[in-house]
Structures are given as C-alpha cells and as structure tokens.
Amino acid sequence: MQLASLATVDSTKAEMSMSSGNAAQRPRFVGGEGYAPLTEASVSAFLATHRTAAEHLGGTPADWSVREVGDGNLNLVYIVKGPAQGLVVKQALPYVRLVGESWPLPLDRAYFEWHALKLQAGAAPRQVPQLHGFDERRAALIMELLEPHVILRKGLIAGTRYPKLAMDTARFAAATLFTTSDFGSPADLKKERLALFSQNGALCKITEDLVFTDPYRVAELNRWTSPQLDQVAAEFRADAPLKVAVQELKWAFMSRSEALLHGDLHTGSIMVTPDDTRIIDPEFAFFGPIGFDPGAFMANLLLAYFAQPGQATAGDDRQAYRAWILDTLEAFWNGFEDAFLDRWRNDAGGDAFVPALFSDVAGAAEIEAFRRRCLSAVLVDAAGFAGAKMARRILGLAHVEDLESIADPDRRAACERKALCMARDLMVSRARIGSAATIRSWAESIAADEAAGR
Ligand code: SR1
Ligand code: MG
C-alpha cells in the first residue's frame, strides 16, 4: 500500500487493516505538501471535499457553522454544525500547542490515533466516538460530535455524579487491554501491531520526560504553586527512594510491551453524560504495561478527590461528593479486574497461556491462581503509575483544571500537598497495595491528616 498516495480516507473504505502486513513501514503521509493548520474560515472548504462528512452535515458549506474549541495541550479541535447533524474535526499541529512552535511534534500522531480508535472501536464499540474519516495530508480526524457530553474533568469540578462512569471505563480498559495483549491476540498480530505503534515514539518521549523524569529534577518547564510548594518540590528532587521508584516505573513503561495502551487516559480524555461514557484522544497509544491506563484514570480521580476542598462552597462542603469519587475509583478497579479475568477465562485467543494446557482440574486451579496473581501485580503497577501521574500534574509542565481552578494559592497548595503525599505513597509503597480499598483508605487518611496539607 502506498500510504503517501492516499489523500483522504473515509471510514467506509478504511482499507489499511491492522493485519495488512505493512505495519512496520514508517508512515510517510503527514507533514508534506498540502498540510496547513485549519482555521475557522477554512474548515468548511476542507470538509466539502469529504463526501461522507459533507453528507453527514447536510446542506451546503455555506450552511455550516464552525467553532474552534480545543482546550487540550496539543491540537486544534473544531465543532462543525450543519442543518442535519454536527461533527468534530481534530487536527494535529506540528508543535506542542501548550508551549508553542519551539517544541516541534510529529503530525504522525494523528495516524496512530486513527489506528488506535479503529482498534478500540473493535474492542469496545459503544465507548469511542464514531469515525467519519481521516485526512492524512492534513493530519485531521473527522469524528462524531458527542452531545450533550461534557469533559469528565469539568463534570468532576462541578460536582456531578456519573453512575455509569466506573463500569463503562472499566469495561473499556479491560476490553482494549485484554484483546491487544498476548492473552487476547495471536502472537503474529500482536507483533504486527507492536511494530506499528512502536513508531509513536515522540509521544512516548513526552510521557517519559514529563511524567517520569522532569518533576524529579530542575527542568525549565516545571512549575508549581510558589512559594507555597517550593519546599516539597525540593524534597521530591532530593528523595532517593522516590526517584528509584519513579525510574523503575519509567523502565516498566519503556520496556514492557504488554498491551496497546490508550496512553493518556486522564479525565480530560473521557466525555460523559449520566448515561454514556466515551473515551477520546488516544494519540499517545503504544504498547506498554497493562497497569498504565488504569493508573492514569485512578490518578485523575485522586486529583479530583484532593481538589474537592478547593471546590467547596458555603452550601456544599463536597464531603459526600468526595466519597463518591472514591466509590468510583474502587468500582472502577474491581470492575476492571472482573472484566479482564472474565475475558481471560472465556475468550483467551492469544498465544500466551494456551487454554488446552490447563484443561484438567489441577491445571484449571493453577491457571486461575496465576490469573489472580497477575491482576494483583497489575494493580500494584497501576498504583505506582497513578502516583507518577499525580505528581507530574502538580510539579511538572502540564497541570489540571481541578487544581488550577482553585484561585486562592494557599488553598490550592493545601490540596496539592496532600495529593503529593498520596502520590509519593503510591509510588514508594505500592507493593503494599492488595486492593483498591487500600488506595481508598490511604486517600481518606491523608485527606483527614491536617499535617499533610500544611
Ligand atoms: C506537552 S503535552 C502535555 C500533556 O498533555 C497530554 O494530555 C499528555 O498528558 C501530555 O503529557
Ligand atoms: Mg489529549
């Protein structure tokens, strides 16, 4: 297949299958002639060239309204509405939007996001946005407009409960991680996918630097609530056991290609209503340790939890809501474990742990015990990754609105100190975690500890 010759790819003829045998080729489709950042003025003309998208919108380009709504760190995001329906155009910029053109970033990430979305749609069809097309020259995905969904992080700041969130996210994570692992995929397919997503290295490097390294050294782009957190930031940089723990986690992230990760499963990558949960933005997708995605989700629930005192008002102290966040964390982990084990017991299509080897009574008992040990180890990993993901949002470059929206710096720093205390415990003491209830009890005891916030 000549990737460079495909100017546009409608989802209806997305012929680049994951098993086409071309996975090891370096994609050559982005950044060449024809790429330019879209603007509100140019999006309609762009979509007019995409038959599927144009039909979806209805009417003519003159009838379409366009609004740029991207509030993430990397891309342009346009909402386009036509007389019939709406859609979203997400376009990669050739640099990190948060920082500017001084930090170049490959447009290829849109290609990996497109492939990841297709794989995720196969594993968890109701939980990703529908793809309408992919324009490789412009590094732009055309997708379903999720309405009336909101970004989960904003819902957590507003104090909204989402009854389906825990189980939907658990099922998404279990389905995508299991089916792409050696438990769920034949070895040749796993390796083919691994070869493809290994090329998303620039996005991995962001995580390697910003999550696992920069918060533990002096780095130009680091920032924190200062002067309130100056002391604790210095303590993190001097904390040898913590630095070993976080580098051990980094090594796991870099070397353990266990399953296709979403790679950035924070609460800004989830769109919700009380009845529906959709996972968006898998541009950081690559093969890594299974615990990384569950850890990212739990980290961001914990950040929301520790931010709640900063969101409290005279009429709502947020205590009940905080408890709901921890209920969600526990239900998520337990749901993930159950769903992953269920698939492993009943749908083991991979080449690792061949079911026929364990068909007798003794074998069945032994493999079941192994499966449970394996999920316990994934929880320990997830807890460690959660700690690393929390600390980077307080001491590193990219922060989260949960905490940033707390205007009073003393109040914000009190929340952040407790979150950092939790983050450190999760990394350094993760081997002691036997269940999600342990994570809950650690969070509750740090939240109740006046000294931890000082
Ligand atoms: C420079 S990019 C900063 C962060 O934004 C993304 O959401 C990822 O989490 C990344 O680390
Ligand atoms: Mg994102």
Side-chain angles (χ1 to χ4, degrees), residues 73-74 96 98 103 206 210-211 264 266 284 392-393 397-398:
N73 296 325
L74 300 179
V96 174
L98 175 68
W103 186 342
I206 288 179
L210 297 190
V211 175
D264 200 24
H266 56 73
F284 283 77
R392 63 78 58 111
R393 297 293 187 190
L397 164 68

Side-chain angles (χ1 to χ4, degrees), residues 361-415:
V361 173
E366 198 66 30
I367 188 65
E368 180 60 14
F370 176 79
R371 288 187 197 109
R372 290 183 174 278
R373 286 201 303 279
C374 183
L375 267 292
S376 296
V378 173
L379 175 60
V380 167
D381 287 347
F385 291 128
K389 290 281 214 169
M390 291 173 73
R392 63 78 58 111
R393 297 293 187 190
I394 299 169
L395 300 176
L397 164 68
H399 288 215
V400 288
E401 195 181 337
D402 315 58
L403 292 160
E404 296 294 288
S405 62
I406 304 170
D408 175 358
D410 289 332
R411 205 173 173 202
R412 181 168 70 245
C415 297

Side-chain angles (χ1 to χ4, degrees), residues 152-212:
L152 173 59
R153 192 183 301 288
K154 293 189 184 294
L156 296 173
I157 292 167
T160 309
R161 287 173 169 77
Y162 298 99
K164 297 191 68 189
L165 171 66
M167 290 311 293
D168 283 352
T169 311
R171 277 191 289 266
F172 169 84
T176 55
L177 294 168
F178 181 84
T179 58
T180 59
S181 74
D182 286 301
F183 309 136
S185 292
D188 54 351
L189 180 58
K190 155 86 189 299
K191 288 177 175 63
E192 191 174 318
R193 290 170 172 169
L194 178 59
L196 173 67
F197 284 97
S198 297
Q199 298 168 93
N200 201 14
L203 279 279
C204 295
K205 177 86 169 104
I206 288 179
T207 304
E208 289 153 17
D209 289 346
L210 297 190
V211 175
F212 295 111

